[in-house]
Amino acid sequence: MRYELFMICPPWKQFRAYKRSNKILTDSIPPKMWRALRAFNFMECCLSELASNELVVFVWVTEKFTEDCREYMSHLGYKYDTYLMWKRPKWKRCTAVEVFEYLFVFHKDGYWPPKGDFPDPLASPFTGKVKHRGEKPEDAYALLEKLYPTRVRIQLFGSCSRRGWDVFHRNKT
């Protein structure tokens, strides 16, 4: 089956280990780096093997890793289009820092996704809170289903159990 819409929640905390992996000999890869290699190679394989020609990719990323996300997706041949923003609930106690997550939109060369009624990126369309750390706001799924009602959808590294979405590599957090 070829998927036309991907929503990806990669483990960005492992990306720096993934970037350093090409400098390590293959017989001496530490476990942390091995997990990073598996995660990002899995994502790359899914995008190359399961993607349709008319593909739109949505990637969740925290503000700390936005440049890493753009660099990685550019390396895979995807062009950045726009983003949406979500003020995520704080998970650590005793912290006053607000955490913003971005839902970046990417596409392949030669294909431009339909410009539906995409909201203003700063007018955060995702207002709902989530119950568990690995979840994403319900509003995000509803928005994507409204913008792309006939697309075949998949979520990578997700915890979604929603009708109309396939999930690969369900997170256990």
Side-chain angles (χ1 to χ4, degrees):
M1 173 180 274
R2 295 286 183 182
Y3 293 95
E4 300 166 317
L5 188 138
F6 277 74
M7 181 164 36
I8 307 173
C9 309
W12 289 112
K13 289 182 181 178
Q14 298 177 3
F15 185 70
R16 297 209 170 108
Y18 170 76
K19 280 184 12 180
R20 288 191 311 269
S21 66
N22 63 355
K23 299 175 185 170
I24 301 289
L25 297 174
T26 57
D27 59 347
S28 63
I29 296 177
K32 184 177 180 180
M33 190 172 290
W34 182 246
R35 284 190 299 275
L37 275 169
R38 280 193 339 209
F40 285 94
N41 286 339
F42 170 77
M43 189 167 91
E44 188 174 343
C45 286
C46 285
L47 286 170
S48 66
E49 299 291 326
L50 301 174
S52 164
N53 291 337
E54 298 179 350
L55 172 69
V56 181
V57 180
F58 293 88
V59 182
W60 284 103
V61 61
T62 57
E63 59 189 325
K64 182 178 179 180
F65 298 104
T66 54
E67 290 306 314
D68 291 336
C69 175
R70 286 186 183 185
E71 174 188 335
Y72 179 71
M73 294 303 287
S74 174
H75 167 72
L76 295 181
Y78 289 88
K79 296 222 184 262
Y80 168 76
D81 189 21
T82 188
Y83 71 93
L84 298 169
M85 201 159 79
W86 175 47
K87 183 179 171 187
R88 181 181 75 175
K90 296 176 232 167
W91 298 112
K92 294 181 181 177
R93 293 183 184 177
C94 303
T95 181
V97 178
E98 294 180 341
V99 178
F100 290 98
E101 283 192 9
Y102 299 90
L103 184 59
F104 282 169
V105 182
F106 293 94
H107 58 86
K108 274 286 199 185
D109 291 334
Y111 175 72
W112 288 92
K115 294 288 185 195
D117 295 330
F118 244 99
D120 180 29
L122 298 176
S124 186
F126 312 129
T127 56
K129 300 234 179 206
V130 294
K131 293 181 182 179
H132 303 287
R133 186 180 187 130
E135 293 180 1
K136 297 302 175 194
E138 192 72 24
D139 302 350
Y141 296 104
L143 175 69
L144 295 180
E145 290 166 358
K146 181 180 155 195
L147 288 174
Y148 304 101
T150 60
R151 300 278 176 139
V152 183
R153 301 177 284 263
I154 187 169
Q155 183 178 13
L156 299 182
F157 301 107
S159 59
C160 169
S161 58
R162 190 175 173 91
R163 186 177 178 180
W165 288 84
D166 290 337
V167 177
F168 278 4
H169 195 275
R170 181 180 296 262
N171 290 336
K172 304 273 194 244
T173 56

mmCIF file of all heavy atoms in Angstrom, residues 109-129:
data_model
loop_
_atom_site.group_PDB
_atom_site.id
_atom_site.type_symbol
_atom_site.label_atom_id
_atom_site.label_comp_id
_atom_site.label_asym_id
_atom_site.label_seq_id
_atom_site.Cartn_x
_atom_site.Cartn_y
_atom_site.Cartn_z
ATOM 1 N N ASP A 109 10.045 17.140 -4.391
ATOM 2 C CA ASP A 109 10.215 17.990 -5.573
ATOM 3 C C ASP A 109 9.171 17.644 -6.622
ATOM 4 O O ASP A 109 8.886 16.483 -6.867
ATOM 5 C CB ASP A 109 11.604 17.782 -6.186
ATOM 6 C CG ASP A 109 12.699 18.329 -5.296
ATOM 7 O OD1 ASP A 109 12.423 19.255 -4.521
ATOM 8 O OD2 ASP A 109 13.830 17.824 -5.383
ATOM 9 N N GLY A 110 8.606 18.655 -7.231
ATOM 10 C CA GLY A 110 7.661 18.437 -8.317
ATOM 11 C C GLY A 110 6.226 18.273 -7.874
ATOM 12 O O GLY A 110 5.326 18.295 -8.688
ATOM 13 N N TYR A 111 5.981 18.098 -6.582
ATOM 14 C CA TYR A 111 4.596 17.982 -6.117
ATOM 15 C C TYR A 111 4.325 19.029 -5.048
ATOM 16 O O TYR A 111 5.028 19.102 -4.051
ATOM 17 C CB TYR A 111 4.318 16.593 -5.545
ATOM 18 C CG TYR A 111 2.932 16.496 -4.965
ATOM 19 C CD1 TYR A 111 1.825 16.460 -5.803
ATOM 20 C CD2 TYR A 111 2.717 16.486 -3.593
ATOM 21 C CE1 TYR A 111 0.546 16.398 -5.284
ATOM 22 C CE2 TYR A 111 1.445 16.425 -3.074
ATOM 23 C CZ TYR A 111 0.366 16.389 -3.931
ATOM 24 O OH TYR A 111 -0.899 16.346 -3.416
ATOM 25 N N TRP A 112 3.329 19.839 -5.265
ATOM 26 C CA TRP A 112 2.919 20.836 -4.286
ATOM 27 C C TRP A 112 1.591 20.410 -3.702
ATOM 28 O O TRP A 112 0.646 20.171 -4.438
ATOM 29 C CB TRP A 112 2.779 22.224 -4.927
ATOM 30 C CG TRP A 112 4.099 22.793 -5.255
ATOM 31 C CD1 TRP A 112 4.769 22.671 -6.435
ATOM 32 C CD2 TRP A 112 4.944 23.537 -4.398
ATOM 33 N NE1 TRP A 112 5.985 23.290 -6.363
ATOM 34 C CE2 TRP A 112 6.114 23.842 -5.107
ATOM 35 C CE3 TRP A 112 4.827 23.972 -3.075
ATOM 36 C CZ2 TRP A 112 7.158 24.562 -4.559
ATOM 37 C CZ3 TRP A 112 5.869 24.694 -2.530
ATOM 38 C CH2 TRP A 112 7.019 24.981 -3.267
ATOM 39 N N PRO A 113 1.512 20.288 -2.375
ATOM 40 C CA PRO A 113 0.238 19.892 -1.775
ATOM 41 C C PRO A 113 -0.824 20.949 -2.009
ATOM 42 O O PRO A 113 -0.507 22.130 -2.138
ATOM 43 C CB PRO A 113 0.569 19.763 -0.282
ATOM 44 C CG PRO A 113 1.832 20.500 -0.088
ATOM 45 C CD PRO A 113 2.547 20.530 -1.402
ATOM 46 N N PRO A 114 -2.073 20.532 -2.086
ATOM 47 C CA PRO A 114 -3.145 21.510 -2.277
ATOM 48 C C PRO A 114 -3.161 22.517 -1.134
ATOM 49 O O PRO A 114 -3.007 22.149 0.022
ATOM 50 C CB PRO A 114 -4.420 20.664 -2.265
ATOM 51 C CG PRO A 114 -3.991 19.255 -2.323
ATOM 52 C CD PRO A 114 -2.550 19.177 -1.989
ATOM 53 N N LYS A 115 -3.314 23.765 -1.476
ATOM 54 C CA LYS A 115 -3.346 24.821 -0.465
ATOM 55 C C LYS A 115 -4.772 24.989 0.027
ATOM 56 O O LYS A 115 -5.512 25.818 -0.454
ATOM 57 C CB LYS A 115 -2.832 26.151 -1.043
ATOM 58 C CG LYS A 115 -1.389 26.136 -1.410
ATOM 59 C CD LYS A 115 -0.552 26.131 -0.167
ATOM 60 C CE LYS A 115 0.917 26.240 -0.540
ATOM 61 N NZ LYS A 115 1.807 25.916 0.520
ATOM 62 N N GLY A 116 -5.147 24.173 0.964
ATOM 63 C CA GLY A 116 -6.489 24.256 1.533
ATOM 64 C C GLY A 116 -6.590 25.436 2.475
ATOM 65 O O GLY A 116 -5.883 26.428 2.341
ATOM 66 N N ASP A 117 -7.424 25.305 3.432
ATOM 67 C CA ASP A 117 -7.601 26.350 4.416
ATOM 68 C C ASP A 117 -6.626 26.147 5.563
ATOM 69 O O ASP A 117 -7.015 25.878 6.698
ATOM 70 C CB ASP A 117 -9.043 26.346 4.942
ATOM 71 C CG ASP A 117 -10.034 26.701 3.866
ATOM 72 O OD1 ASP A 117 -9.659 27.463 2.964
ATOM 73 O OD2 ASP A 117 -11.169 26.211 3.931
ATOM 74 N N PHE A 118 -5.343 26.266 5.267
ATOM 75 C CA PHE A 118 -4.337 26.132 6.297
ATOM 76 C C PHE A 118 -4.397 27.354 7.191
ATOM 77 O O PHE A 118 -4.343 28.479 6.723
ATOM 78 C CB PHE A 118 -2.933 26.038 5.682
ATOM 79 C CG PHE A 118 -2.279 24.725 5.956
ATOM 80 C CD1 PHE A 118 -2.281 23.727 5.017
ATOM 81 C CD2 PHE A 118 -1.667 24.501 7.168
ATOM 82 C CE1 PHE A 118 -1.682 22.515 5.264
ATOM 83 C CE2 PHE A 118 -1.067 23.291 7.443
ATOM 84 C CZ PHE A 118 -1.068 22.295 6.485
ATOM 85 N N PRO A 119 -4.518 27.162 8.487
ATOM 86 C CA PRO A 119 -4.581 28.316 9.385
ATOM 87 C C PRO A 119 -3.243 29.035 9.466
ATOM 88 O O PRO A 119 -2.216 28.494 9.061
ATOM 89 C CB PRO A 119 -4.952 27.701 10.729
ATOM 90 C CG PRO A 119 -4.665 26.256 10.612
ATOM 91 C CD PRO A 119 -4.643 25.902 9.161
ATOM 92 N N ASP A 120 -3.280 30.230 9.996
ATOM 93 C CA ASP A 120 -2.062 30.992 10.217
ATOM 94 C C ASP A 120 -1.178 30.200 11.184
ATOM 95 O O ASP A 120 -1.653 29.744 12.224
ATOM 96 C CB ASP A 120 -2.409 32.356 10.809
ATOM 97 C CG ASP A 120 -1.179 33.204 11.074
ATOM 98 O OD1 ASP A 120 -0.179 33.031 10.361
ATOM 99 O OD2 ASP A 120 -1.241 34.032 11.999
ATOM 100 N N PRO A 121 0.110 30.004 10.861
ATOM 101 C CA PRO A 121 0.972 29.179 11.711
ATOM 102 C C PRO A 121 1.026 29.631 13.164
ATOM 103 O O PRO A 121 1.102 28.815 14.063
ATOM 104 C CB PRO A 121 2.346 29.306 11.066
ATOM 105 C CG PRO A 121 2.080 29.664 9.667
ATOM 106 C CD PRO A 121 0.812 30.458 9.671
ATOM 107 N N LEU A 122 0.982 30.914 13.403
ATOM 108 C CA LEU A 122 1.105 31.406 14.775
ATOM 109 C C LEU A 122 -0.221 31.415 15.522
ATOM 110 O O LEU A 122 -0.251 31.617 16.725
ATOM 111 C CB LEU A 122 1.713 32.812 14.774
ATOM 112 C CG LEU A 122 3.123 32.891 14.201
ATOM 113 C CD1 LEU A 122 3.596 34.329 14.162
ATOM 114 C CD2 LEU A 122 4.085 32.045 15.011
ATOM 115 N N ALA A 123 -1.322 31.220 14.821
ATOM 116 C CA ALA A 123 -2.637 31.224 15.463
ATOM 117 C C ALA A 123 -2.994 29.824 15.941
ATOM 118 O O ALA A 123 -4.097 29.371 15.768
ATOM 119 C CB ALA A 123 -3.689 31.729 14.491
ATOM 120 N N SER A 124 -2.071 29.162 16.543
ATOM 121 C CA SER A 124 -2.141 27.795 17.044
ATOM 122 C C SER A 124 -3.524 27.139 16.963
ATOM 123 O O SER A 124 -4.370 27.350 17.821
ATOM 124 C CB SER A 124 -1.659 27.755 18.487
ATOM 125 O OG SER A 124 -1.591 26.436 18.927
ATOM 126 N N PRO A 125 -3.750 26.338 15.939
ATOM 127 C CA PRO A 125 -5.046 25.685 15.810
ATOM 128 C C PRO A 125 -5.229 24.522 16.781
ATOM 129 O O PRO A 125 -6.313 24.018 16.930
ATOM 130 C CB PRO A 125 -5.036 25.186 14.370
ATOM 131 C CG PRO A 125 -3.609 24.931 14.090
ATOM 132 C CD PRO A 125 -2.855 25.989 14.861
ATOM 133 N N PHE A 126 -4.163 24.093 17.430
ATOM 134 C CA PHE A 126 -4.227 22.947 18.325
ATOM 135 C C PHE A 126 -4.372 23.448 19.759
ATOM 136 O O PHE A 126 -3.423 23.925 20.364
ATOM 137 C CB PHE A 126 -2.982 22.077 18.199
ATOM 138 C CG PHE A 126 -2.625 21.772 16.771
ATOM 139 C CD1 PHE A 126 -1.350 21.977 16.313
ATOM 140 C CD2 PHE A 126 -3.574 21.289 15.885
ATOM 141 C CE1 PHE A 126 -1.011 21.693 15.003
ATOM 142 C CE2 PHE A 126 -3.256 21.010 14.572
ATOM 143 C CZ PHE A 126 -1.969 21.210 14.135
ATOM 144 N N THR A 127 -5.549 23.359 20.276
ATOM 145 C CA THR A 127 -5.814 23.903 21.606
ATOM 146 C C THR A 127 -5.998 22.817 22.652
ATOM 147 O O THR A 127 -5.923 23.089 23.832
ATOM 148 C CB THR A 127 -7.086 24.773 21.579
ATOM 149 O OG1 THR A 127 -8.159 23.981 21.079
ATOM 150 C CG2 THR A 127 -6.885 25.983 20.694
ATOM 151 N N GLY A 128 -6.245 21.604 22.227
ATOM 152 C CA GLY A 128 -6.544 20.532 23.161
ATOM 153 C C GLY A 128 -5.337 20.056 23.940
ATOM 154 O O GLY A 128 -4.222 20.044 23.444
ATOM 155 N N LYS A 129 -5.576 19.662 25.151
ATOM 156 C CA LYS A 129 -4.533 19.062 25.980
ATOM 157 C C LYS A 129 -4.527 17.556 25.719
ATOM 158 O O LYS A 129 -5.499 16.990 25.247
ATOM 159 C CB LYS A 129 -4.826 19.335 27.447
ATOM 160 C CG LYS A 129 -4.863 20.813 27.764
ATOM 161 C CD LYS A 129 -3.943 21.120 28.852
ATOM 162 C CE LYS A 129 -3.993 22.623 29.105
ATOM 163 N NZ LYS A 129 -2.826 23.118 29.672
#
